[in-house]
């Protein structure tokens, strides 16, 4: 009996968790495990751990399958990554960083960078071909107008997969960051100043709250006059 320790991490966005059923299948060089349920509840920024029992050693774990099944209502899930510890202590990492929607199965390769010629197993070659075909289907191009750059062949961003489009969650986080930065500079007197700066030290006091990380950006976007 071979026992594999598995840890599944959910992204830390507000809506990353799910109440749908998530299960996992481990695929190794010598075989694959049975489909094992991870949990029915995933919270943002949290991890779930479980043990996967196999009748024999699976060999090096080359990919995993994440299965999402909808119980009642659809509840998309953002998987950050999966870590698998083999019986001999070897740790395999599977970076996912994508949304799973509906009733679906997603295959994720082990995170080590490899070239096409490095794929010796047939299952990895087939996975690479499927992944390429899926991306060619997702990123279809069309000519917008003569002389213009080509654009995606869709009429609306809503037609794009959630992992391609700039999501509402990311847009909200980005806008919130801009509002915070604007308010911070406004309260510190940056936007109200009508006279020239006397020295760089005077400028540094304005950016003290951000340890000067935004000074370079302000020189590029809005060059400031000196006496």
């Amino acid at each position: 009996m071979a026992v594999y320790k598995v840890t599944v991490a959910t992204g830390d966005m507000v809506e990353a968790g799910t109440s749908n059923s998530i299960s996992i299948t481990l695929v190794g060089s010598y075989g694959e495990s049975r489909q094992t349920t991870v949990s029915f509840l995933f919270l943002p920024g949290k991890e779930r751990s479980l043990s996967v029992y196999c009748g024999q050693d699976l060999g090096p774990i080359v990919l995993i399958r994440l299965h999402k099944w909808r119980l009642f209502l659809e509840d998309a899930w953002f998987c950050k990554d999966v870590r698998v510890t083999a019986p001999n202590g070897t740790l395999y990492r599977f970076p996912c960083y994508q949304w799973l929607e509906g009733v679906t199965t997603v295959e994720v390769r082990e995170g080590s960078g490899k070239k096409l010629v490095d794929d010796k197993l047939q299952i990895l070659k087939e996975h690479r071909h499927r992944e390429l075909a899926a991306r060619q289907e997702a990123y279809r191009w069309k000519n917008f107008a003569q002389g213009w750059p080509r654009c995606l062949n869709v009429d609306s961003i809503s037609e794009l997969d959630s992992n391609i489009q700039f999501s509402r969650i990311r847009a909200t986080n980005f806008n919130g960051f801009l509002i915070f930065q604007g308010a911070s500079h406004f309260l510190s007197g940056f936007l109200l100043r009508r006279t020239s700066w006397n020295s760089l030290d005077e400028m540094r006091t304005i950016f003290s709250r951000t340890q000067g990380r935004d000074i370079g950006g302000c020189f590029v976007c809005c060059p400031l006059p000196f006496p």
Side-chain angles (χ1 to χ4, degrees):
M1 177 70 70
V3 181
Y4 293 82
K5 303 295 183 181
V6 179
T7 301
V8 181
T10 299
D12 57 4
M13 294 89 76
V14 175
E15 300 180 12
T18 184
S19 58
N20 288 175
S21 174
I22 303 296
S23 55
I24 189 171
T25 300
L26 307 181
V27 180
S29 302
Y30 306 152
E32 61 183 64
S33 71
R34 61 181 177 83
Q35 184 173 324
T36 305
T37 299
V38 181
S39 178
F40 291 88
L41 179 62
F42 291 82
L43 299 177
K46 302 297 183 180
E47 297 181 344
R48 288 284 188 177
S49 298
L50 71 151
S51 296
V52 176
Y53 298 89
C54 303
Q56 63 179 11
D57 181 29
L58 301 179
I61 307 300
V62 295
L63 62 82
I64 60 171
R65 297 190 187 104
L66 293 171
H67 314 274
K68 179 176 174 294
W69 183 62
R70 182 171 55 238
L71 294 176
F72 299 105
L73 300 177
E74 166 59 20
D75 191 9
W77 175 53
F78 187 88
C79 177
K80 178 183 176 183
D81 60 29
V82 176
R83 302 185 298 276
V84 179
T85 302
N88 62 5
T90 303
L91 177 63
Y92 300 93
R93 299 179 182 273
F94 299 85
C96 186
Y97 296 97
Q98 61 179 299
W99 289 97
L100 278 70
E101 298 179 320
V103 178
T104 185
T105 294
V106 172
E107 291 185 339
V108 182
R109 292 174 62 120
E110 199 273 326
S112 301
K114 293 182 179 180
K115 302 186 293 295
L116 179 61
V117 295
D118 296 328
D119 289 338
K120 306 301 182 182
L121 296 176
Q122 184 62 28
I123 190 171
L124 291 181
K125 295 179 181 179
E126 294 173 354
H127 173 266
R128 190 181 289 272
H129 286 310
R130 288 195 300 269
E131 185 178 49
L132 178 59
R135 294 196 178 189
Q136 290 175 335
E137 177 66 21
Y139 295 97
R140 293 172 297 169
W141 300 95
K142 68 178 180 180
N143 291 319
F144 178 74
Q146 185 65 32
W148 285 65
R150 301 178 72 189
C151 62
L152 283 175
N153 187 20
V154 293
D155 297 323
S156 170
I157 60 173
S158 61
E159 299 179 24
L160 297 173
D161 183 86
S162 297
N163 294 298
I164 301 175
Q165 60 179 277
F166 195 84
S167 72
R168 176 174 56 84
I169 297 175
R170 283 177 283 184
T172 300
N173 292 339
F174 182 69
N175 290 334
F177 175 78
L178 291 180
I179 293 173
F180 172 79
Q181 289 295 317
S184 175
H185 293 325
F186 181 82
L187 293 176
S188 62
F190 175 63
L191 298 180
L192 295 178
R193 190 178 184 89
R194 294 294 182 266
T195 58
S196 300
W197 303 96
N198 296 320
S199 66
L200 285 175
D201 289 334
E202 187 178 0
M203 291 182 61
R204 290 190 182 97
T205 63
I206 299 299
F207 297 95
S208 61
R209 295 183 182 180
T210 55
Q211 290 78 47
R213 285 175 294 181
D214 295 331
I215 291 180
C218 288
F219 274 124
V220 174
C221 299
C222 49
L224 303 173
F226 285 89

